[in-house]
Amino acid sequence: MNILVLDDEKEIADLVELYLQNENYQIYKFYTSEEAINCIDTKKIDVAILDVMIEGKDGFEICRYIREKGLKFPVIMLTAKIEDNDKIKGLTLGADDYITKPFNPLELVARVKSALRRYTLYNGENISNNIIEINGLVIDKDKHKCSLYEKEIDFTPMEFEILLYLAENRGKVIPSEELFEKVWKEKYLDSNNTVMVHIRRIREKLNEDTKHPKFIKTVWGVGYKIENE
């Protein structure tokens, strides 16, 4: 797989290159937009990682250029600060994902792999519909396995079912009562503590920041939810 990396911060571009090369990807790394555009015109690219704020044509303009050429490969935007308007603009132009600096290189690798999997699924190269991917978290329904940034997480069957149910209903707030009855298959009585304890264990295994969890959010007085990507 050929990955284009564009960032005028040499340290970041070199770091991205290093981590992606460790995954055996072919990397085309550039510090200027002119070089990146020339590569897009002359090479087969499978994923583009573009810095938003770069001199010359910025990341948005290059993303527009890619889509206007009719190229369908995933585009991931790198940005120091993400504003809703910028995100909407990028997605409107055809960007597939955003990563905010500073970022965990392992998360970047996971996002690249996720984008490639979605792309190959769209192109009919992957027939599995039972894999859920959320920002580096991969849940395999068939194998009852879960991994975060390529590292398998050892969940109990109950923990796995809770996470799976929330993931399958991402974007929706799931009350504790519903979670309990769907997972335990029993009538909900006063088992909120049971659900709460399991959620806490899942978060611990995902190395979640309890004050700012990335995956499972608490909606106080209502329940829990996993945001859409």
Side-chain angles (χ1 to χ4, degrees):
M1 291 289 183
N2 300 325
I3 301 178
L4 183 149
V5 176
L6 171 63
D7 199 309
D8 57 5
E9 294 183 68
K10 186 177 184 300
E11 296 79 7
I12 292 179
D14 292 350
L15 180 67
V16 171
E17 177 186 40
L18 175 65
Y19 273 82
L20 291 174
Q21 282 181 336
N22 286 341
E23 299 295 325
N24 296 317
Y25 294 124
Q26 171 69 48
I27 309 303
Y28 296 105
K29 178 184 66 177
F30 304 103
Y31 307 126
T32 69
S33 55
E34 292 79 7
E35 291 175 308
I37 290 170
N38 181 62
C39 180
I40 292 165
D41 288 339
T42 58
K43 303 289 186 183
K44 177 186 178 296
I45 302 297
D46 296 295
V47 178
I49 301 172
L50 307 176
D51 181 23
V52 170
M53 300 302 294
I54 192 166
E55 291 185 8
K57 289 185 181 294
D58 64 21
F60 292 134
E61 292 177 281
I62 297 175
C63 181
R64 180 192 289 116
Y65 179 77
I66 289 169
R67 296 308 182 222
E68 286 179 349
K69 282 178 65 72
L71 299 170
K72 307 290 188 183
F73 57 75
V75 174
I76 299 173
M77 312 297 285
L78 290 181
T79 177
K81 186 170 128 181
I82 185 64
E83 302 286 350
D84 285 343
N85 288 341
D86 285 343
K87 188 169 185 179
I88 291 168
K89 179 180 179 181
L91 295 175
T92 301
L93 292 173
D96 296 88
D97 202 356
Y98 270 85
I99 297 180
T100 306
K101 302 176 185 178
F103 54 84
N104 181 337
L106 293 176
E107 178 176 354
L108 174 65
V109 171
R111 297 281 195 96
V112 168
K113 290 184 175 182
S114 177
L116 280 168
R117 276 191 285 259
R118 285 196 298 269
Y119 180 55
T120 53
L121 174 62
Y122 177 81
N123 284 284
E125 298 173 25
N126 187 336
I127 59 172
S128 175
N129 293 317
N130 289 320
I131 294 179
I132 299 173
E133 301 176 36
I134 307 167
N135 296 333
L137 178 66
V138 180
I139 304 170
D140 189 324
K141 295 167 61 176
D142 292 335
K143 296 181 180 178
H144 257 243
K145 289 185 177 181
C146 180
S147 63
L148 179 62
Y149 309 144
E150 305 295 312
K151 182 179 180 181
E152 189 169 332
I153 308 295
D154 185 22
F155 285 124
T156 66
M158 204 65 78
E159 291 165 352
F160 180 87
E161 290 297 333
I162 291 171
L163 184 62
L164 175 61
Y165 191 76
L166 290 171
E168 288 181 324
N169 292 278
R170 55 193 179 279
K172 292 170 53 180
V173 180
I174 306 298
S176 297
E177 296 93 328
E178 181 178 336
L179 256 181
F180 186 86
E181 292 180 358
K182 292 292 184 180
V183 173
W184 275 266
K185 312 293 186 189
E186 296 176 12
K187 178 74 175 171
Y188 179 87
L189 296 172
D190 60 344
S191 301
N192 185 49
N193 284 340
T194 301
V195 174
M196 190 184 306
V197 168
H198 279 76
I199 292 289
R200 186 169 69 238
R201 287 176 181 165
I202 294 170
R203 284 174 170 161
E204 287 172 356
K205 291 181 180 181
L206 292 174
N207 295 316
E208 289 267 61
D209 179 341
T210 55
K211 292 184 178 178
H212 304 286
K214 180 177 179 180
F215 296 106
I216 302 176
K217 308 289 179 67
T218 299
V219 181
W220 295 107
V222 184
Y224 305 94
K225 75 170 179 176
I226 292 178
E227 299 280 9
N228 283 312
E229 284 188 78

